[in-house]
Amino acid sequence: MSSFRPKFWQIPAATEADEQRLPELAAALEGRLKEIAERFPQAVFASSLAVEDMVITDTICRLKLPLRIITLNTGKLNPETAALIAETAARYGIALEVFTPDEAAAVAFEAEFGAAAMYESVELRRRCCHIRKIEPLNRALAGAPAWLTGQRRSQSDTRSELVFEEQDAGRGIAKFNPIFDWEEADIWAYAETHDVPLNALYHQGYPSIGCEPCTRPVKEGENIRAGRWWWESKDSKECGLHK
């Protein structure tokens, strides 16, 4: 019987070059967030609690910027992710706004299609995402002057054209990606330097974390988003939040 065990992704250790580059990147991030807060007070930062979003949260709270920080509890989160919601609020002393799905819609979907419907087709998976993520986000952004994300260009092919500021045509508001040009090594260097609270799943081979049924660990050398909706083609691997 083979004893081979695959090696899984590990948090990258910061190099000296990463640490040297960090102050300039961090200063640029501070400037971008200050600009957003000045132009759009009470703009909404939609945090997925990923390391990218924790970096932005750390910066917003350190600078005491007038930006709302919200997150979505889809009802399908890993326990480790759910635990980070409370940890983040306690660490930074903030009222982290948590939005949840419409319970009746979530129950009706599973009653009609089953709890494993997301594996049956892209259409059903996206309908699940709409109920558990997009509709709650729409409520969170109702009346917001602008919103922010933690997306980065190098995360996936579908995000390669990201810019700092864009227009959310569907909602008619500005949308910002303040770390769009950061690399993975930059994110982890910041997290280590500033002792940012992190999801415990990062230590279990999960470089990208979503809902529990739709996320798995990633083998060493795989794309960092390979564990998200792994049964689908790479071209469909978005939930629709950023469409």
Side-chain angles (χ1 to χ4, degrees):
M1 184 175 179
S2 173
S3 59
F4 171 77
R5 292 184 179 180
K7 290 185 177 180
F8 289 98
W9 173 91
Q10 294 183 351
I11 295 174
T15 66
E16 184 176 346
D18 297 333
E19 293 172 351
Q20 291 176 347
R21 188 170 59 247
L22 185 58
E24 182 179 353
L25 285 170
L29 174 58
E30 290 181 6
R32 290 169 180 175
L33 291 173
K34 288 177 181 177
E35 175 191 340
I36 296 166
E38 184 174 327
R39 291 172 56 193
F40 301 101
Q42 298 305 307
V44 173
F45 171 44
S47 170
S48 69
L49 305 171
V51 61
E52 289 86 356
D53 297 334
M54 296 308 297
V55 165
I56 296 173
T57 295
D58 184 85
T59 307
I60 290 173
C61 293
R62 182 162 44 80
L63 298 177
K64 296 181 171 58
L65 296 175
L67 299 171
R68 291 171 55 203
I69 304 176
I70 71 99
T71 194
L72 307 178
N73 187 338
T74 65
K76 295 287 185 178
L77 300 181
N78 294 78
E80 293 87 345
T81 306
L84 187 56
I85 295 175
E87 183 182 353
T88 301
R91 168 68 176 272
Y92 296 108
I94 58 174
L96 189 65
E97 300 178 54
V98 181
F99 287 79
T100 58
D102 177 87
E103 184 176 3
V107 169
F109 177 83
E110 290 201 358
E112 182 173 359
F113 301 106
M118 68 284 294
Y119 304 125
E120 296 180 14
S121 70
V122 173
E123 179 187 358
L124 285 177
R125 195 270 294 168
R126 285 179 172 164
R127 287 177 66 176
C128 184
C129 286
H130 184 90
I131 292 169
R132 296 188 177 277
K133 299 174 76 172
I134 298 173
E135 192 279 328
L137 179 65
N138 288 342
R139 278 188 274 118
L141 295 181
W147 70 296
L148 298 71
T149 85
Q151 294 185 105
R152 297 186 294 107
R153 282 178 176 171
S154 61
Q155 284 175 320
S156 68
D157 292 341
T158 58
R159 300 181 178 182
S160 61
E161 302 299 322
L162 276 176
V163 293
F164 168 55
E165 180 177 354
E166 54 186 318
Q167 184 69 12
D168 184 334
R171 299 183 177 92
I173 59 176
K175 178 180 177 183
F176 294 90
N177 307 296
I179 54 172
F180 73 99
D181 52 352
W182 284 41
E183 297 296 333
E184 184 185 14
D186 302 324
I187 292 294
W188 289 107
Y190 182 104
E192 180 180 343
T193 300
H194 293 269
D195 191 27
V196 172
L198 295 174
N199 194 319
L201 291 176
Y202 284 122
H203 298 284
Q204 300 175 38
Y206 290 74
S208 181
I209 303 164
C211 291
E212 188 278 332
C214 300
T215 311
R216 70 176 184 181
V218 167
K219 294 177 184 177
E220 188 177 59
E222 285 187 296
N223 182 279
I224 60 172
R225 284 178 64 82
R228 302 291 295 277
W229 308 297
W230 65 89
W231 64 93
E232 296 182 12
S233 75
K234 67 178 183 179
D235 295 329
S236 66
K237 289 188 174 187
E238 291 287 358
C239 62
L241 285 178
H242 304 292
K243 187 175 180 180

